[in-house]
Amino acid sequence: MRHGWRDTVRAAADMALLGFLVTGAALPVVTAGAAVATGSAAIRHHLDHDTWPAPRACLRTFRRALLPGLAASAAAVLLVALVIVDVLALLSGAVPGAPVLIVPLLAVAAAGLGFAGLLAVAASGPAPLATARTMARPAPLAAATAVVMLTLLLAALVHPVLIPPLIGYGLFALHVLARRTGATVPGCEQPASTSPRSRTAPRSRS
């Protein structure tokens, strides 16, 4: 990708627009998983080729991700509900040693959110769940957890109209950090150079 300031501003605007598109596609709730997967695939394409995918390609990705995204959304809602119930039970004092147990419970919940962030990155390639498990090494998981928690914190502090751009920026940050920490998604590897210089072996001088 280019690094001029105009390109940086353009990319920031594109990510904000992507966040609005993902939010709009996720409004029916049952399409939330497919919307995130489609946005993630679009960011992956942008990082690989410095261009955005065609709308028709995005629509195909959205359709393919509907059923898997619905299952992922249902699992996420169930896990969040279980964490809330556990936290409320600990805060009520019904469980002995509640103050000590709340901290590890919240740490596990945060790690779960980080894994969900890795899953959003892996959703841009084949076999998202298996890929996310492979990516869930300490460094990528810690980076994804930090990105997700920071995004949620900012979403709680800013005006609601600014939340959709945060989704786009958060997805972009997850992809960038996953790559920089060594977590790869199948198909994301850059092609080898095909320039004439790289194809021609250097000749030894006699």
Side-chain angles (χ1 to χ4, degrees):
M1 295 178 64
R2 298 178 299 273
H3 299 286
W5 69 269
R6 291 185 179 86
D7 300 303
T8 301
V9 172
R10 186 182 301 112
D14 289 343
M15 295 303 164
L17 178 59
L18 178 71
F20 279 106
L21 293 175
V22 170
T23 302
L27 285 179
V29 180
V30 294
T31 59
V36 172
T38 305
S40 179
I43 292 176
R44 168 185 164 179
H45 188 279
H46 180 70
L47 289 173
D48 286 343
H49 306 289
D50 202 18
T51 60
W52 292 103
R56 187 173 298 179
C58 292
L59 184 58
R60 287 197 301 267
T61 302
F62 184 82
R63 289 173 177 173
R64 287 197 302 265
L66 273 176
L67 289 180
L70 180 59
S73 299
V77 170
L78 178 60
L79 290 176
V80 170
L82 289 176
V83 170
I84 292 176
V85 170
D86 289 341
V87 170
L88 292 178
L90 292 175
L91 292 178
S92 66
V95 180
V100 179
L101 295 176
I102 287 180
V103 175
L105 176 61
L106 294 180
V108 171
L113 291 175
F115 182 78
L118 291 179
L119 185 59
V121 175
S124 62
L129 184 57
T131 303
R133 289 174 180 173
T134 304
M135 294 166 61
R137 300 190 300 273
L141 183 59
T145 301
V147 170
V148 173
M149 296 303 295
L150 179 60
T151 302
L152 292 176
L153 176 61
L154 292 176
L157 296 177
V158 302
H159 193 276
V161 76
L162 297 178
I163 294 178
L166 287 176
I167 295 175
Y169 297 146
L171 279 174
F172 179 76
L174 285 170
H175 271 270
V176 172
L177 287 178
R179 293 181 180 215
R180 291 187 176 181
T181 52
T184 58
V185 179
C188 283
E189 294 81 8
Q190 294 294 335
S193 174
T194 57
S195 63
R197 181 177 298 177
S198 63
R199 293 198 302 265
T200 305
R203 297 179 179 177
S204 60
R205 295 182 179 179
S206 56

